[in-house]
């Protein structure tokens, strides 16, 4: 089966107009057939709050650099930093700005996760998202397998995180057939 690919220089950016992340996941779902390789989509903005960075770290990644300014400065940072797990959670939440909620069946995993710079309290970020490739499933023709590349960037453009995810996604025609039964 043919795999489609897009090169970064071919993609054009489109900023979502929403100020708040989408919560009505049934409104305009993206299905396998809708996947397009000609644009980079940009999410709404998320801001890391100091109290949230510390609370997340206490529960999930209690390293001193995530909770104590003095320890963070001793490690070479300007102050506390959000944990990588917190950055991944923010990435995952912002991913829902792209109307994938009802069409994604599962994730097969992530590749090439890179932390380029720390996120700090007060940083405002957006997720830059583009499809990399897609193909129909060989064993389940009503679904597709697709990969997307995401970058979590501060609003000033500094790259914090990059990651490639592989997902199983519904085909629109299969959903229509299910409703007709």
């Amino acid at each position: 089966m043919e795999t489609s690919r897009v090169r970064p220089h071919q993609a054009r950016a489109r900023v979502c107009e929403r100020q708040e992340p989408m919560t009505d996941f049934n409104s305009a779902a993206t299905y396998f057939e809708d996947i397009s390789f000609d644009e980079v989509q940009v999410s709404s903005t998320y801001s890391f709050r100091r109290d949230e960075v510390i609370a997340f770290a206490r529960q999930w990644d209690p390293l001193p650099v995530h909770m104590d300014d003095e320890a963070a400065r001793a490690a070479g940072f300007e102050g506390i930093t959000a944990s990588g797990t917190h950055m991944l959670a923010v990435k995952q939440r912002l991913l829902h700005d792209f109307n994938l909620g009802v069409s994604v069946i599962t994730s097969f995993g992530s590749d090439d996760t890179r932390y380029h710079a720390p996120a700090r309290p007060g940083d405002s970020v957006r997720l830059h998202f583009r499809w990399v490739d897609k193909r129909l499933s060989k064993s389940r023709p009503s679904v597709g397998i697709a990969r997307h590349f995401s970058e979590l960037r501060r609003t000033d453009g500094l790259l914090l995180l990059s990651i490639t995810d592989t997902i199983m996604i519904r085909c629109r025609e299969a959903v229509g057939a299910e409703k007709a039964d």
Side-chain angles (χ1 to χ4, degrees):
M1 283 177 221
E2 187 174 305
T3 300
S4 301
R5 297 197 184 272
V6 65
R7 289 180 173 63
H9 69 275
Q10 293 174 317
R12 64 180 189 281
R14 179 178 62 86
V15 177
C16 297
E17 296 300 317
R18 287 185 301 281
Q19 295 300 310
E20 294 297 319
M22 187 189 95
T23 55
D24 180 10
F25 299 117
N26 293 313
S27 62
T30 298
Y31 291 93
F32 179 81
E33 296 87 347
D34 303 321
I35 292 174
S36 170
F37 301 103
D38 64 348
E39 69 181 356
V40 173
Q41 299 178 61
V42 181
S43 74
S44 59
T45 301
Y46 174 86
S47 296
F48 285 91
R49 293 188 338 257
R50 181 180 176 80
D51 61 326
E52 189 175 53
V53 168
I54 293 170
F56 190 97
R58 278 194 182 121
Q59 182 163 4
W60 301 108
D61 192 2
L63 291 175
V65 297
H66 303 317
M67 300 180 296
D68 180 85
D69 283 314
E70 196 171 300
R73 280 192 284 280
F77 299 107
E78 294 177 25
I80 65 169
T81 63
S83 78
T85 306
H86 192 171
M87 291 168 58
L88 285 169
V90 169
K91 182 269 316 180
Q92 193 63 28
R93 182 60 189 97
L94 291 175
L95 206 53
H96 286 281
D97 276 7
F98 306 118
N99 300 322
L100 300 174
V102 299
S103 58
V104 173
I105 298 167
T106 191
S107 172
F108 289 120
S110 301
D111 297 303
D112 305 320
T113 303
R114 298 287 178 264
Y115 300 99
H116 301 274
R120 304 214 40 252
D123 283 353
S124 293
V125 298
R126 288 192 171 131
L127 189 67
H128 297 243
F129 170 95
R130 66 178 167 84
W131 293 103
V132 177
D133 59 43
K134 70 177 185 176
R135 67 173 177 81
L136 285 172
S137 170
K138 294 173 185 167
S139 61
R140 293 178 62 188
S142 63
V143 300
I145 311 298
R147 289 186 326 128
H148 57 82
F149 177 75
S150 300
E151 294 178 329
L152 191 64
R153 290 183 172 272
R154 284 193 333 209
T155 53
D156 68 2
L158 180 68
L159 177 61
L160 304 180
L161 165 75
S162 62
I163 187 169
T164 301
D165 294 305
T166 303
I167 61 170
M168 180 182 286
I169 186 167
R170 288 180 173 84
C171 293
R172 175 176 271 104
E173 287 128 23
V175 172
E178 289 170 5
K179 289 180 181 177
D181 289 341

